[in-house]
Amino acid sequence: MLLPVAGIYMAPTSINPLYEALGLGCTSADVDKFCSLLDASSPHQRQTIMRYAEAAHELFMRIGKKLAESLGVKSQSIGIGNWPCLQIQFHPFGSPGVQIHTDSGFLTILQYDEGVGGLEVMDTSGQFIPVEPWPDTLLVNLGDMATVWSNGRLCNVKHKVQCKEAKIRVSIASFLLGPRETVEPRLELVDDDHPRWYVPTTYEDYRKLRLSTELQAGEALALLHTPTVNKMLESRGG
């Protein structure tokens, strides 16, 4: 299963000892089962969660369409309306926060905690820049699947959380993960000047690759580079 049937709990680990998360899928069935598990049975609670999920999905579609159009890809053909999405509510606190990583999916919409900062993103020089909370705004990240899909035209974003205040920090991230089927560079984005840079994969296979290699900051993409894969096949006599 690519998505949890109802909800998942991500417990603290040795790498991120002060991080935990609660996640659920974006469909009405996922929300219903999730609410039942938490005994959140009132119509108002379920309606609030479902309205948030629907609004996040609609925003994913709008952003995805704009990204496709900016690259010259026909938006009606990219098919992201059928891609699964996942919502995770974060509760990191203390110091350190969350290690350097990229998001493995296509897009992330973050409702940032307006009371507690800590998010830092890496700029083109390799320096981390704090992203201060800004009321009534959402933050959008590009993930590894966007880099594959765009043949490297869209860049994933390395980021981390440095929790420096003795406060609980709560934020809600919605992830547009990637197709259940194969994802590969769009044909419109492959030409003589921009040869195919990534081999076909699936989001689930790529997620497993990141976990097995412990390459969480986008480095696993190098294992999908077409020249790298071809060289590996040649060395094996493939």
Side-chain angles (χ1 to χ4, degrees):
M1 287 291 292
L2 183 60
L3 286 180
V5 174
I8 56 173
Y9 170 68
M10 299 173 64
T13 65
S14 58
I15 297 177
N16 287 320
L18 302 176
Y19 163 94
E20 58 184 343
L22 198 60
L24 69 152
C26 289
T27 69
S28 58
D30 288 324
V31 172
D32 283 340
K33 292 177 182 178
F34 177 79
C35 290
S36 297
L37 287 174
L38 294 183
D39 197 26
S41 57
S42 77
H44 175 71
Q45 290 169 319
R46 293 170 185 258
Q47 183 183 38
T48 299
I49 298 174
M50 195 65 243
R51 287 178 62 189
Y52 190 98
E54 291 172 349
H57 190 268
E58 180 182 350
L59 185 55
F60 277 137
M61 299 307 102
R62 291 169 58 190
I63 295 173
K65 179 179 179 180
K66 294 296 184 182
L67 286 173
E69 291 175 348
S70 71
L71 295 174
V73 177
K74 294 181 179 178
S75 59
Q76 63 267 28
S77 67
I78 63 177
I80 64 175
N82 297 320
W83 292 8
C85 57
L86 177 68
Q87 295 177 333
I88 292 184
Q89 189 169 16
F90 296 92
H91 302 265
F93 59 93
S95 182
V98 182
Q99 65 176 342
I100 300 171
H101 68 285
T102 58
D103 295 334
S104 58
F106 190 87
L107 273 177
T108 302
I109 297 174
L110 177 66
Q111 182 177 335
Y112 201 13
D113 191 321
E114 296 179 2
V116 184
L119 177 65
E120 298 181 4
V121 300
M122 183 182 288
D123 64 13
T124 55
S125 70
Q127 300 296 313
F128 278 96
I129 301 174
V131 180
E132 300 300 334
W134 195 350
D136 302 321
T137 63
L138 298 171
L139 188 143
V140 177
N141 267 351
L142 289 170
D144 294 353
M145 287 293 97
T147 301
V148 173
W149 177 89
S150 66
N151 201 33
R153 309 284 185 93
L154 299 175
C155 296
N156 54 5
V157 180
K158 290 184 180 180
H159 54 286
K160 62 181 180 178
V161 176
Q162 294 288 91
C163 296
K164 301 175 181 178
E165 299 181 65
K167 296 180 180 178
I168 294 177
R169 176 182 177 275
V170 178
S171 60
I172 301 175
S174 300
F175 299 95
L176 182 66
L177 301 179
R180 291 184 174 87
E181 298 78 26
T182 300
V183 60
E184 58 185 317
R186 294 289 306 189
L187 291 178
E188 301 97 319
L189 304 177
V190 177
D191 53 38
D192 292 339
D193 295 326
H194 304 88
R196 182 183 297 272
W197 194 236
Y198 297 102
V199 298
T201 186
T202 65
Y203 170 76
E204 182 67 4
D205 286 342
Y206 179 69
R207 186 185 68 84
K208 291 177 180 178
L209 178 65
R210 280 182 40 137
L211 291 173
S212 64
T213 59
E214 298 185 350
L215 299 174
Q216 301 293 330
E219 306 95 336
L221 285 175
L223 302 178
L224 300 181
H225 284 177
T226 302
T228 302
V229 174
N230 288 342
K231 187 176 295 185
M232 291 172 58
L233 292 175
E234 290 174 2
S235 67
R236 297 172 182 174

